[in-house]
Amino acid sequence: MADCDIGIYGLAVMGQNFALNIADHGFKVAVYNRTKSKITDFMAEEAADKPIEAAYELQDFVNLIRKPRVIVLIVKAGPATDAIIDNLIPYLEEGDIIIDSGNSYYKDTERRAAMLTEKGFNFLGMGISGGEEGARHGPSLMPGGPSEVYARVQPMLEAVAAKAEGEPCVTYLGPGSAGHYVKMVHNGIEYGIMQAIAEVYDVLSRGAGMGAGQIGDIFQRWSKGLLSSFLVDITGNILVYTAPEDDKPLVDIITDSAQQKGTGKWTTQDALDLGVSVPTISAAIEARIISALKSERVKAATILQGPTPSFDGDQAQLVDALEQALLATEICAYAQGFAALHSASEEYNYHLNMADIARIWRNGCIIRATLLNDMSRAFTADNALSNLMIAPYFAELLAKAQSGWRESLKIAVGMGIPTPALSSALAYYDSYRSGRLPANLIQAQRDFFGAHTYERLDNTEGTAFHTIWQEI
């Protein structure tokens, strides 16, 4: 009987939790997974006594959902998503809605939307953030596509989304691939902040010789102030966690080689194509790449020379300085992400509302933070704000962070501890606030070897000049 309000295709942890979340809000859910044992286990355990109905064949799954059907795909992004859509198409009818909730590349979303629209179906690309806990109890949802299609699923999405000050952390973002683009940039910001946190931990651990538990206590204290955020909060919890077998910090025995799934890299790649500077996000990507060269680094450590990390100064002052450095770097990471969104909105006609994006990131998602309330207010005052750093509130925070930010980086550099995210953020800030940069010399060099021409400050007509710099 076709009486289910929505179908969930994909019963990995995220899919299971999202299905349970929807069911908890009074909607009847149909579920399907290619591996049949996952369906059986889910229905016998977590889904027992829930308004959830399973199907073991794809056609039966589709037939469980009332028309016009709404089917959410929560599967691995890439070719698998295309294959699933192709398999679903024969069983769909005109007006049915497919929602891709994977971490899909935005250009794939555009392609899929065009193909499905041509066949008479509807398509939304929707980013989901919040991990397993968010999917179960309320994620941040970032949908994009036709506004009239979003309107049809809006009540359900608002019901299951996280809430911040009573407001659902979901909103219509824009046409086409707007939702997946916003999620992509969200992940880029996430990369930058995670790397900055790791660098602060490294300075305190290798540099100041603090134990993981002591550093965890510091992060837990920071999480109660301006740095209050999901990532800072879980960092404190991770660092104080001890392994049951020996009561020693578990973090100390985790391999120092970080992985990535591609969304952060896409953020950097597209930002470069748009001519937007996102150095902190880029530095985080590069740091993960270098971390993966574990065997090379171990060998290089026996060959390449540098200072041995050792700090004999005031630890309390270093902690305070690093707090300011982390705060400033987080602001810069958000500023770079919003700058990328601003440029993409114009280039791809997304018509993004930056205040809304900051608002739906306030809860449920990985980069949720107290500062997002102030970011939403800043963009409400000026949605065309060119850079978050120049909003009065954030300009003041960055000014106050100056001393500690710079001092902590001097200490880190002196000890030979790499801080690519923290350092790139400061360089970004200093570059953006510089009324004059040395690009005049670069233009002269380009003209010298390639006759690329240059403009002059004393010429207001935009005339291009070329100089014969050296007689041949």
Side-chain angles (χ1 to χ4, degrees):
M1 181 178 178
D3 63 349
C4 291
D5 300 295
I6 190 170
I8 300 293
Y9 187 121
L11 288 177
V13 176
M14 284 289 289
Q16 290 186 22
N17 284 338
F18 199 51
L20 293 169
N21 182 5
I22 296 172
D24 284 347
H25 285 85
F27 301 98
K28 188 171 183 181
V29 185
V31 297
Y32 176 80
N33 193 82
R34 192 174 64 175
T35 304
K36 311 307 181 191
S37 60
K38 282 198 172 183
I39 303 175
T40 301
D41 293 344
F42 179 60
M43 295 304 297
E45 298 172 8
E46 293 91 340
D49 302 323
K50 299 278 187 182
I52 297 175
E53 192 166 347
Y56 288 83
E57 299 297 333
L58 189 55
Q59 184 172 8
D60 294 338
F61 165 68
V62 174
N63 290 339
L64 286 173
I65 309 165
R66 66 164 54 100
K67 303 174 184 178
R69 303 177 182 92
V70 178
I71 299 174
V72 179
L73 310 182
I74 308 183
V75 297
K76 185 177 181 180
T81 301
D82 288 317
I84 290 167
I85 291 173
D86 289 342
N87 291 336
L88 278 169
I89 285 175
Y91 307 117
L92 299 179
E93 297 180 36
E94 185 174 351
D96 287 350
I97 301 170
I98 292 179
I99 303 176
D100 174 16
S101 294
N103 273 327
S104 292
Y105 185 40
Y106 78 98
K107 291 184 179 179
D108 288 340
T109 300
E110 292 284 350
R111 172 178 54 78
R112 290 166 185 150
M115 181 271 290
L116 288 166
T117 300
E118 185 178 353
K119 294 180 181 295
F121 309 128
N122 296 303
F123 186 74
L124 295 177
M126 182 175 74
I128 297 183
S129 179
E132 300 171 16
E133 180 184 353
R136 182 65 183 88
H137 300 292
S140 174
L141 301 173
M142 294 157 256
S147 58
E148 66 275 12
V149 178
Y150 171 73
R152 286 166 55 183
V153 297
Q154 180 179 353
M156 188 183 305
L157 297 182
E158 289 185 346
V160 303
K163 306 299 186 293
E165 299 179 2
E167 297 178 329
C169 292
V170 59
T171 192
Y172 174 70
L173 291 173
S177 57
H180 274 146
Y181 197 96
V182 170
K183 178 54 163 57
M184 178 183 78
V185 173
H186 163 287
N187 286 18
I189 296 170
E190 175 186 310
Y191 274 53
I193 294 173
M194 290 174 70
Q195 177 62 28
I197 288 172
E199 290 169 15
V200 169
Y201 155 74
D202 198 20
V203 172
L204 292 174
S205 177
R206 281 202 295 157
M210 295 184 183
Q214 185 180 1
I215 303 171
D217 291 340
I218 291 168
F219 273 93
Q220 289 181 337
R221 186 177 78 245
W222 287 350
S223 71
K224 296 177 175 61
L226 281 174
L227 281 170
S228 174
S229 66
F230 174 74
L231 287 171
V232 169
D233 185 50
I234 68 167
T235 299
N237 293 337
I238 289 167
L239 291 170
V240 300
Y241 182 87
T242 55
E245 63 270 19
D246 58 12
D247 204 33
K248 293 180 180 179
L250 179 60
V251 70
D252 288 347
I253 59 171
I254 295 177
T255 304
D256 56 316
S257 180
Q259 299 178 349
Q260 55 181 314
K261 291 187 176 180
T263 47
K265 178 179 68 177
W266 295 340
T267 303
T268 292
Q269 289 173 332
D270 205 67
L272 291 174
D273 289 340
L274 293 172
V276 180
S277 178
V278 291
T280 305
I281 297 172
S282 299
I285 307 300
E286 293 174 2
R288 290 199 188 188
I289 292 171
I290 292 177
S291 80
L293 305 177
K294 175 66 174 176
S295 60
E296 292 184 36
R297 291 189 289 110
V298 170
K299 181 179 179 180
T302 66
I303 300 171
L304 301 178
Q305 301 299 308
T308 299
S310 178
F311 179 72
D312 57 5
D314 188 311
Q315 286 195 349
Q317 289 182 4
L318 177 61
V319 169
D320 290 342
L322 286 168
E323 180 181 13
Q324 295 306 312
L326 182 56
L327 175 64
T329 300
E330 287 197 8
I331 293 170
C332 288
Y334 281 110
Q336 292 165 31
F338 278 112
L341 290 173
H342 181 80
S343 182
S345 183
E346 294 184 347
E347 180 69 20
Y348 306 133
N349 296 313
Y350 288 149
H351 309 293
L352 298 175
N353 185 306
M354 303 303 162
D356 279 349
I357 294 171
R359 179 177 59 79
I360 67 171
W361 284 349
R362 290 179 302 164
N363 198 11
C365 73
I366 302 301
I367 62 170
R368 60 185 184 263
T370 298
L371 285 174
L372 282 160
N373 286 301
D374 300 293
M375 294 177 196
S376 183
R377 284 190 282 269
F379 286 117
T380 297
D382 182 8
N383 189 59
L385 186 67
S386 60
N387 193 293
L388 183 68
M389 294 190 299
I390 64 173
Y393 178 74
F394 292 101
E396 183 179 354
L397 285 182
L398 289 167
K400 289 179 179 178
Q402 291 283 303
S403 178
W405 195 4
R406 297 181 190 280
E407 184 60 31
S408 62
L409 290 179
K410 289 179 188 176
I411 294 169
V413 171
M415 291 191 294
I417 296 177
T419 55
L422 300 174
S423 299
S424 68
L426 181 57
Y428 176 75
Y429 174 78
D430 282 339
S431 295
Y432 198 77
R433 71 178 186 85
S434 294
R436 184 172 174 83
L437 290 168
N440 54 319
L441 177 57
I442 293 172
Q443 285 298 87
Q445 291 169 332
R446 294 179 71 245
D447 187 58
F448 187 109
F449 63 71
H452 293 293
T453 73
Y454 57 88
E455 295 180 3
R456 292 172 55 128
L457 293 174
D458 58 2
N459 184 284
T460 59
E461 298 176 1
T463 303
F465 293 87
H466 170 58
T467 294
I468 304 301
W469 297 89
Q470 183 178 15
E471 294 296 335
I472 299 177

